Amino acid sequence: MLNMRSGIGISVVVVMMSFFIVGSCNNNDSKAPLGPTFQNPIQISSVNGVLDVTYNAAVSPAEVDGKPFMSAQYNGMLAPPTLRVNPGDTLKLNLNNFLEMMTNMHYHGMNVSPLSPSDDVFIMITPNSGFDYEVDIPEDHPEGMFYYHAHLFGITEFQIMSGLSGGLIVGDILAPFPQLDGITEQILYLKDFQLMDGEIPPEGMIDPSGPTNFTVNGQTNPTITMRPGETQFWQIGNIGADLYYDLVLEGHLFYQIERDGNRRNQTVERNSILMPTSSRVGVLVQANEPGRYKLKARKFTTGPQGDQYGGATLLTVNVEGEPVQDPITLPIPMNQFPPVENLCDQEIAVDREIVFSETEDGNTFFINGKEFDPERVDTEVKIGDFERWTVANSSGELHVFHIHLTDFVVCSVNGVEQPFVGKQDTVNVPYQGQDPDFEGPGEVVIVIDFTNPIIKGKSVYHCHIGEHEDNGMMAVFEACEEPPCPDFD
């Protein structure tokens, strides 16, 4: 049912982890048109353990694929800087709000404090005022790709869709692998835009099946040039508001070594990677024979309660030049990966059931039958515990579970045990009836790590499809040493 919304669906029956493995095509088309040269985003790195930066959120002119428009941006950039920090650093970000609405900032996936002035998503920065964020990054913080984005309840979708999201990378994910020293790193932040009369429509996505402008770092179909046999490290983040990206690279495999800012415990070979909104992956790509190959986001249909939308070519890989004499051997041997704790084997303190649902018209969304209320604490957790959550989906479309401040391991999907490859902070929740062999609501069983004392305070878990969280599918959790928790406001 098409209802001017942004629900997501998939065209296969079984969800394995958050990704699908399918066949890839090999289109060695030397006549394929080439777009502009791919550009990594501007990067700002910490100095002497501190990254100090000022961002101005304001409506600014922009252009995508030759189409001019006005939108909310950080420092007048559709692709704002990628911030690079290390474990143990402090991120100081002064956010000035020159919009005609309130805003704030969330440091997505970071294992940091939820208390002000850190990653406090309850902060509301009024127009013509500012806030000085100070985020202390623990010494043992996971390394990989994260990102930052506006997270004001009720208008998150519009502000992210306008452009208020950007990159954040912690540490060096490649450090354990000496054979990868010096390889080219490409940072790909994926954003999509729909335009109406030169603006981002305030109601969000106009029509999921309609014309959508897909961009990589603000570019439309840029070109990455590689030599035959060359290996590059691509860090890819879906930092748009609503859509999934079902990625394939013609004629090539993805060798995944990172997910959601967490190093895997082995190389995971993929023909395709399904990226829900807010997910990030780090993959090795080794160039094939000379030719031109498209990185595509394939078409999707949502569930029976959802929508349909088309795919696109995101970028083109142009393989040319002298072949690399000694290509890096892939996959990376498993014994080179640092060990990762399988949370599914931990002693479980609490079992919970979290149910995602929505009204038949798809306009209102619920967690455990309740719409979001920032004044209500829905879940209290004890610091030091591992909890097992069964996240169920009784609706007719896909949802994306995400929790702030910590990570989890996916133990099973629709009753099927999942191979352990590492931690993550987002996961698809299959819709009811998606798997004809599984009765009842779709479900994902995860074990969440609540042992880090830095999480003390209030934060949220929610569906990370912007339109869904804005319209009720979010809940507050509070962490303390011994529930019932005191008030941390």
Side-chain angles (χ1 to χ4, degrees):
M1 176 177 60
L2 186 61
N3 51 26
M4 296 181 68
R5 21 188 326 269
S6 52
I8 307 300
I10 57 179
S11 56
V12 298
V13 173
V14 180
V15 179
M16 297 296 292
M17 302 291 289
S18 297
F19 304 108
F20 297 98
I21 304 177
V22 298
S24 63
C25 58
N26 185 346
N27 182 11
N28 186 6
D29 184 2
S30 61
K31 296 182 181 180
L34 292 178
T37 300
F38 172 84
Q39 299 290 329
N40 274 310
I42 294 171
Q43 299 182 51
I44 303 175
S45 299
S46 60
V47 177
N48 297 324
V50 177
L51 196 159
D52 197 340
V53 65
T54 295
Y55 272 17
N56 296 324
V59 173
S60 304
E63 182 177 299
V64 168
D65 197 22
K67 305 179 184 72
F69 62 100
M70 301 293 291
S71 73
Q73 299 166 44
Y74 294 125
N75 292 352
M77 305 171 70
L78 268 188
T82 292
L83 308 179
R84 299 200 75 136
V85 293
N86 293 304
D89 283 354
T90 297
L91 170 60
K92 296 181 178 182
L93 191 149
N94 171 239
L95 178 59
N96 296 314
N97 181 14
F98 296 110
L99 304 171
E100 295 181 353
M101 62 184 74
M102 293 188 293
T103 191
N104 63 8
M105 181 81 80
H106 167 51
Y107 304 90
H108 181 103
M110 297 287 283
N111 298 177
V112 296
S113 172
L115 303 180
S116 183
S118 185
D119 191 16
D120 182 355
V121 293
F122 299 96
I123 290 170
M124 299 181 186
I125 307 172
T126 57
N128 299 310
S129 66
F131 186 82
D132 293 328
Y133 287 95
E134 185 166 324
V135 182
D136 292 324
I137 303 166
E139 293 281 355
D140 59 351
H141 196 282
E143 296 180 285
M145 175 177 273
F146 302 85
Y147 77 112
Y148 53 87
H149 63 82
H151 202 294
L152 194 73
F153 312 125
I155 53 175
T156 298
E157 179 193 29
F158 171 69
Q159 293 197 352
I160 293 178
M161 187 175 291
S162 294
L164 295 184
S165 63
L168 175 60
I169 293 176
V170 178
D172 181 6
I173 199 75
L174 301 183
F177 315 116
Q179 68 269 45
L180 303 181
D181 184 48
I183 70 170
T184 297
E185 177 189 60
Q186 310 286 17
I187 299 172
L188 287 66
Y189 279 109
L190 311 179
K191 288 187 183 182
D192 42 84
F193 301 92
Q194 286 195 345
L195 308 177
M196 178 181 288
D197 299 326
E199 294 181 335
I200 304 292
E203 67 270 23
M205 181 155 286
I206 308 164
D207 177 355
S209 63
T212 300
N213 299 279
F214 293 87
T215 69
V216 182
N217 302 337
Q219 295 181 286
T220 301
N221 190 16
T223 300
I224 290 178
T225 299
M226 301 176 68
R227 295 166 58 196
E230 178 186 357
T231 300
Q232 293 187 355
F233 178 49
W234 292 7
Q235 295 201 73
I236 310 173
N238 178 358
I239 64 172
D242 297 301
L243 299 189
Y244 280 43
Y245 287 77
D246 185 15
L247 301 180
V248 292
L249 177 58
E250 296 172 336
H252 292 76
L253 289 174
F254 297 110
Y255 296 90
Q256 184 189 343
I257 61 173
E258 174 197 359
R259 169 68 196 266
D260 289 354
N262 285 274
R263 196 179 287 112
R264 306 277 76 176
N265 67 358
Q266 60 190 279
T267 307
V268 182
E269 297 181 43
R270 304 277 186 196
N271 292 314
S272 68
I273 295 181
L274 180 64
M275 296 190 64
T277 177
S278 82
S279 67
R280 295 87 62 209
V281 297
V283 297
L284 299 170
V285 174
Q286 190 167 83
N288 206 328
E289 63 188 30
R292 295 177 183 179
Y293 305 88
K294 296 176 182 178
L295 176 69
K296 295 181 176 180
R298 298 187 296 188
K299 293 181 180 180
F300 268 96
T301 180
T302 72
Q305 200 173 358
D307 308 313
Q308 301 79 37
Y309 57 92
T313 296
L314 302 180
L315 61 78
T316 300
V317 177
N318 181 34
V319 181
E320 64 179 14
E322 290 295 318
V324 173
Q325 292 302 310
D326 296 304
I328 294 169
T329 300
L330 296 177
I332 296 174
M334 188 171 180
N335 62 10
Q336 283 192 254
F337 285 79
V340 181
E341 180 181 38
N342 186 355
L343 304 183
C344 299
D345 296 333
Q346 290 292 329
E347 181 178 350
I348 302 302
V350 179
D351 277 287
R352 301 185 194 271
E353 184 176 35
I354 307 297
V355 180
F356 286 174
S357 64
E358 60 186 271
T359 55
E360 187 175 349
D361 62 10
N363 290 327
T364 309
F365 300 82
F366 309 95
I367 294 181
N368 289 348
K370 298 178 181 179
E371 291 184 67
F372 174 66
D373 180 351
E375 302 298 326
R376 182 187 67 232
V377 175
D378 299 280
T379 305
E380 291 188 334
V381 303
K382 181 179 179 180
I383 295 172
D385 282 352
F386 295 96
E387 294 196 359
R388 182 167 47 222
W389 291 19
T390 298
V391 184
N393 179 3
S394 64
S395 76
E397 65 173 313
L398 199 67
H399 293 297
V400 186
F401 175 83
H402 169 63
I403 189 166
H404 289 204
L405 311 180
T406 189
D407 301 301
F408 53 80
V409 170
V410 178
C411 303
S412 68
V413 177
N414 280 351
V416 178
E417 183 178 349
Q418 300 297 293
F420 173 63
V421 293
K423 302 176 183 178
Q424 57 200 79
D425 61 49
T426 58
V427 65
N428 297 310
V429 187
Y431 55 81
Q432 184 162 346
Q434 183 177 337
D435 181 355
D437 296 324
F438 188 79
E439 296 183 0
E443 69 171 39
V444 175
V445 178
I446 62 177
V447 173
I448 307 176
D449 183 354
F450 291 115
T451 61
N452 191 340
I454 202 170
I455 69 173
K456 182 177 181 178
K458 293 180 183 178
S459 199
V460 295
Y461 56 91
H462 56 90
C463 175
H464 214 290
I465 296 170
E467 188 243 2
H468 297 182
E469 65 177 278
D470 278 347
N471 288 282
M473 196 170 274
M474 182 153 51
V476 176
F477 79 94
E478 187 167 11
C480 60
E481 288 85 356
E482 192 64 52
C485 300
D487 189 352
F488 287 104
D489 290 341

